[in-house]
Amino acid sequence: MLNNEISVQSAVENTPISTALSSSENGRDKAIIVHVFFSQDKNLEDLAEFQLLAQSAQVDILQIVTTSRSTPQAKYFVGQGKAEEIAELAKQSDADVILVNHQLTPAQTRNLESLCECRVVDRTGLILDIFAQRARSHEGKLQVELAQLKHLATRLVRRKTGLDQQKGAVGLRGPGETQLETDRRLIRVRIAQLQNRLEKVSKQRNQNRQTRQKADIPTISLVGYTNAGKSTLFNRLTQADVYAADQLFATLDPTLRRLSVQDVGTTVLADTVGFIRDLPHDLVSAFKSTLQETTEASLLLHVIDASDTRKQENIEAVNAVLEEIQADNVPTLSVYNKIDRLDNIRPHIEFNDEQQPIAVYISAQANLGIDLLFDAIRQRLRNEILSLSVSLKPAQGKIRHAFYRLNCIRHETIGEQGEYLIEIEIDKIEWLKLLKRFPELEPFNPVKNQE
């Protein structure tokens, strides 16, 4: 009886989904960075940002190679001579990986890997790797794996390792399924599984949002370029302990906390993933359920690093992502953070022609201007203030207690029958919440008459 099995190597097994940078003995890859300037004006800030990305991915940078071209070369992205120079550097320095600060085609990646005899990771792959390292929650890990598989699906190719062989044994050979086709099918199946799981997560988030909307609880969502200080501000506003560090994509998993704002009441503050130029589309689609908190927020706090020389470009990059996820119409308050790093800038609020706050200058780290930010949020979220006269029976102490908790009582006397005659000034949304809790307040409801 023949029981010999054909050993066929799988790209799915060979390619670690968890991270693209995981080969060196000490856990840190040695890398050569490649950057191409496509204009006469050499933009060094893009290169500096890519170096920060590499450091965030726990990579030791051996050397930086730059070159100038008018257009990318089809075979290697860089020119033939420059590609051979990079290959020679990789051999001399014993580099583990070549990091390219551009998006490469699968063919360009494969050609560079063959020439340099080491791994080649483009900008998209590096960002995906950082996300894979930082994901902590179950949902975050699912989202990152989905994005990585979508990225990998376009990069499966025939190799000289048996991926073009037919599977099977005696009597089963013929027009069967190649290993490459098997890998593609397995990836499609896994992507479908992940999408189904994330769909359930999305439904749960939608239910939570609908519950908040029914209770008229506003949601404030923090957005901004990565490392603008969103998590530090989130911790400052909510006294939370979300991880915050001076690095790109320090926090990945979304966090929601309750926040109390004067004249508005209870709100929910959401900390979201940071944006970056050329954010991979696979990530945007994978994090759809997370970013949904942004699209349905009552107010966006667009956190901007005021000390960054490229702040205007960062603002445009964030706006581009907001437009992509259809959140560009959500009311936005700009928060210029890190003013402690600038000279002659004091905490203040900027207003538009309608005297509505449009920007606040603060420092979350140095605790400067936080009270101004709360005031600006209050003015942006505050609705119509109602002035009402309410008469409560002695047995309706719970309602009176609720008024005191909201700090809305302006004058109170006791009538001849022992009833409480109360003058209140209250936000319209808070009044509607009280009506749901205490239907006996309906006779004093002016909103019904207005509608």
Side-chain angles (χ1 to χ4, degrees):
M1 182 176 178
L2 296 174
N3 59 359
N4 293 335
E5 295 181 356
I6 298 175
S7 176
V8 183
Q9 195 173 11
S10 165
V12 177
E13 294 168 357
N14 263 357
T15 308
I17 299 300
S18 60
T19 176
L21 306 171
S22 55
S23 68
S24 59
E25 294 178 359
N26 64 353
R28 294 180 68 92
D29 278 299
K30 295 177 290 184
I32 293 174
I33 285 180
V34 177
H35 180 80
V36 181
F37 297 107
F38 288 108
S39 65
Q40 292 181 346
D41 181 23
K42 295 186 177 181
N43 195 338
L44 295 175
E45 284 85 359
D46 273 343
L47 177 56
E49 181 181 82
F50 192 65
Q51 288 177 253
L52 286 175
L53 280 172
Q55 291 165 5
S56 294
Q58 306 299 312
V59 166
D60 293 326
I61 301 171
L62 300 177
Q63 202 154 349
I64 297 172
V65 178
T66 62
T67 184
S68 298
R69 290 187 64 84
S70 56
T71 56
Q73 195 219 40
K75 186 174 182 181
Y76 293 118
F77 193 87
V78 296
Q80 175 84 30
K82 185 60 69 172
E84 291 172 354
E85 179 188 327
I86 294 167
E88 186 61 32
L89 277 173
K91 290 173 186 173
Q92 289 177 0
S93 58
D94 194 26
D96 299 307
V97 62
I98 309 292
L99 299 179
V100 184
N101 188 19
H102 307 277
Q103 190 162 345
L104 302 179
T105 65
Q108 288 166 341
T109 304
R110 188 168 65 254
N111 293 335
L112 277 172
E113 282 182 344
S114 298
L115 182 65
C116 300
E117 297 180 357
C118 67
R119 283 169 301 131
V120 174
V121 177
D122 65 359
R123 180 183 175 88
T124 298
L126 182 60
I127 293 174
L128 287 171
D129 184 86
I130 295 170
F131 273 58
Q133 292 183 32
R134 300 283 162 76
R136 293 291 179 267
S137 70
H138 177 64
E139 180 189 359
K141 290 175 181 176
L142 290 178
Q143 290 168 324
V144 171
E145 185 182 353
L146 177 60
Q148 287 186 308
L149 284 174
K150 285 183 175 180
H151 185 64
L152 174 65
T154 63
R155 281 159 168 73
L156 281 182
V157 294
R158 291 176 182 266
R159 306 191 185 203
K160 298 177 183 178
T161 55
L163 293 188
D164 53 348
Q165 295 178 7
Q166 302 260 316
K167 289 175 64 179
V170 175
L172 298 176
R173 304 187 201 283
E177 188 177 44
T178 67
Q179 186 61 45
L180 179 61
E181 291 165 344
T182 303
D183 289 341
R184 284 178 176 156
R185 177 172 54 79
L186 290 173
I187 285 177
R188 284 198 302 270
V189 169
R190 181 60 178 161
I191 285 176
Q193 290 174 343
L194 291 171
Q195 287 174 332
N196 287 337
R197 286 197 198 173
L198 287 171
E199 189 64 33
K200 292 179 182 177
V201 173
S202 180
K203 286 181 181 177
Q204 185 177 357
R205 284 187 175 276
N206 280 330
Q207 288 174 349
N208 293 339
R209 265 193 302 274
Q210 287 170 5
T211 302
R212 293 199 301 266
Q213 287 166 357
K214 285 180 181 177
D216 293 315
I217 298 177
T219 300
I220 304 168
S221 187
L222 291 171
V223 298
Y225 207 75
T226 181
N227 205 30
K230 295 184 302 302
S231 296
T232 302
L233 178 60
F234 183 85
N235 289 339
R236 183 68 67 184
L237 293 176
T238 63
Q239 281 75 54
D241 55 355
V242 172
Y243 177 70
D246 186 15
Q247 58 183 194
L248 302 186
F249 301 116
T251 50
L252 174 62
D253 298 312
T255 311
L256 279 71
R257 291 288 187 276
R258 190 180 294 264
L259 182 69
S260 181
V261 180
Q262 184 183 0
D263 294 339
V264 177
T266 298
T267 66
V268 171
L269 184 65
D271 185 17
T272 59
V273 63
F275 299 155
I276 196 169
R277 269 178 290 277
D278 304 319
L279 190 67
H281 289 285
D282 289 338
L283 270 180
V284 174
S285 60
F287 279 75
K288 188 176 179 182
S289 64
T290 300
L291 295 174
Q292 196 76 13
E293 295 290 350
T294 299
T295 61
E296 300 193 15
S298 309
L299 178 67
L300 297 184
L301 297 186
H302 182 174
V303 184
I304 302 157
D305 183 352
S307 65
D308 195 328
T309 55
R310 305 180 71 193
K311 60 177 176 288
Q312 192 55 44
E313 293 176 46
N314 295 349
I315 291 170
E316 291 169 3
V318 171
N319 289 338
V321 177
L322 290 176
E323 188 174 348
E324 185 175 347
I325 64 174
Q326 298 179 339
D328 49 324
N329 292 323
V330 179
T332 303
L333 175 66
S334 297
V335 181
Y336 288 88
N337 191 25
K338 305 185 183 181
I339 62 169
D340 55 313
R341 300 184 181 182
L342 300 172
D343 296 328
N344 303 321
I345 298 291
R346 296 180 62 82
H348 66 280
I349 301 176
E350 283 184 1
F351 297 87
N352 60 12
D353 294 338
E354 288 85 33
Q355 291 304 302
Q356 187 181 52
I358 56 173
V360 187
Y361 289 76
I362 68 161
S363 172
Q365 186 73 39
N367 197 18
L368 299 173
I370 301 301
D371 54 338
L372 294 178
L373 177 57
F374 269 111
D375 188 46
I377 293 172
R378 177 183 64 82
Q379 293 185 54
R380 289 298 298 267
L381 288 180
R382 185 178 58 185
N383 291 276
E384 182 183 349
I385 301 297
L386 304 176
S387 296
L388 307 173
S389 297
V390 179
S391 174
L392 298 179
K393 298 175 182 176
Q396 293 177 314
K398 283 186 178 180
I399 300 178
R400 180 168 172 262
H401 177 65
F403 286 159
Y404 271 103
R405 288 195 64 183
L406 290 171
N407 195 27
C408 63
I409 295 179
R410 297 296 171 259
H411 185 66
E412 180 184 27
T413 57
I414 298 177
E416 295 180 357
Q417 305 297 322
E419 72 277 18
Y420 296 103
L421 304 175
I422 305 174
E423 305 287 332
I424 64 171
E425 287 184 1
I426 187 170
D427 180 270
K428 182 177 178 180
I429 287 181
E430 290 295 338
W431 172 251
L432 293 175
K433 290 181 190 177
L434 286 176
L435 282 177
K436 290 178 182 178
R437 287 178 58 195
F438 307 110
E440 54 266 43
L441 286 173
E442 192 62 42
F444 309 103
N445 181 22
V447 179
K448 179 178 64 176
N449 300 328
Q450 291 174 10
E451 295 172 350

